[in-house]
Amino acid sequence: MSRTQVRRYVENYPKLAAKLFKPLLAELGKRFSINAKFKAPSQFTLELHQDYAAIIWFDLDGSERFPVPLVWDTPRYPRLIFICPCCLQKRLYLYGVPNGWACRECLGLHYACQSEAPIDRLSRAIRKRRRVIWGNDAVQSLFEVSLPIKPKGSHYRTFERDFTKLVKVEDAYNVYFMKKLHSLGAGLGINYFE
């Protein structure tokens, strides 16, 4: 019997990036539409506001409108960001629900990796570190030990640093795996380490 999913994940909700609105700031007052196949407000207009860079007014059912303010984040390297309508915090992304847009925290959304078991996180970290060192041709089997063979074109100190990090993650994976194997064997009355 499988477990029922309790957590809601960001992958299941439409994601809106603030940087996509930067080119639209030159066309204030026009009506825009987001091409989407989800149940979230997709018709909007941009209007100028004295306290913000602009306000996005999303059309809800009928005559209701839902405001989402846009601001410039820093004066030195300005980037456009949202002010979440629920918590009023600065956010780069908002997620859509049928009655508006809100940030990940306000909607109680999680990333899928937050539900991974520790062994899955370690195995993902090993594969990632191997790809950093050897590219997509890296060995993906977790039961093979990584050999210190420097790839052509890699700087020696960079390789040494990345390989040291990989060995630490592989050691942590092996320790965790051995503990799990030992506890499994103890439950069955088998001692693997004799």
Side-chain angles (χ1 to χ4, degrees):
M1 186 167 126
S2 64
R3 291 178 24 191
T4 57
Q5 182 177 341
V6 177
R7 285 186 164 184
R8 297 181 308 166
Y9 297 107
V10 294
E11 294 85 19
N12 301 331
Y13 290 83
K15 183 178 180 180
L16 197 59
K19 66 182 178 182
L20 299 176
F21 290 91
K22 190 173 183 179
L24 301 179
L25 288 178
E27 303 181 39
L28 293 172
K30 285 189 177 178
R31 188 165 187 71
F32 298 97
S33 175
I34 300 171
N35 294 332
K37 300 173 185 167
F38 49 79
K39 295 191 177 193
S42 59
Q43 304 285 326
F44 66 93
T45 55
L46 279 166
E47 293 181 7
L48 191 62
H49 192 275
Q50 63 185 12
D51 297 330
Y52 308 109
I55 291 187
I56 307 167
W57 288 96
F58 285 99
D59 297 335
L60 297 176
D61 298 330
S63 62
E64 284 188 71
R65 291 175 21 157
F66 183 80
V68 177
L70 284 167
V71 296
W72 293 105
D73 188 20
T74 58
R76 186 170 180 186
Y77 300 106
R79 64 179 178 175
L80 201 59
I81 58 173
F82 295 116
I83 299 292
C84 175
C86 299
C87 64
L88 303 178
Q89 297 295 315
K90 294 178 179 179
R91 302 290 184 217
L92 289 174
Y93 302 102
L94 293 181
Y95 297 90
V97 290
N99 58 346
W101 295 86
C103 68
R104 183 178 69 86
E105 286 81 9
C106 291
L107 294 175
L109 303 179
H110 300 274
Y111 296 112
C113 65
Q114 291 175 308
S115 296
E116 285 181 341
I119 192 109
D120 295 329
R121 287 184 188 196
L122 287 170
S123 63
R124 190 166 42 86
I126 289 171
R127 289 187 179 104
K128 179 181 176 183
R129 297 230 179 257
R130 286 179 180 173
R131 275 193 307 274
V132 165
I133 297 172
W134 294 291
N136 290 331
D137 298 332
V139 175
Q140 297 300 316
S141 172
L142 298 173
F143 296 109
E144 294 188 29
V145 177
S146 299
L147 299 174
I149 301 170
K150 185 178 88 60
K152 187 176 181 178
S154 174
H155 195 278
Y156 188 75
R157 277 188 235 134
T158 304
F159 169 74
E160 200 171 70
R161 181 193 66 219
D162 291 342
F163 189 76
T164 303
K165 290 177 184 177
L166 172 63
V167 168
K168 286 180 183 177
V169 175
E170 284 180 341
D171 288 346
Y173 177 84
N174 291 333
V175 166
Y176 190 87
F177 185 77
M178 289 301 173
K179 284 181 182 177
K180 284 292 187 184
L181 190 63
H182 181 66
S183 66
L184 179 65
L188 298 173
I190 303 169
N191 188 356
Y192 291 107
F193 303 108
E194 282 186 349

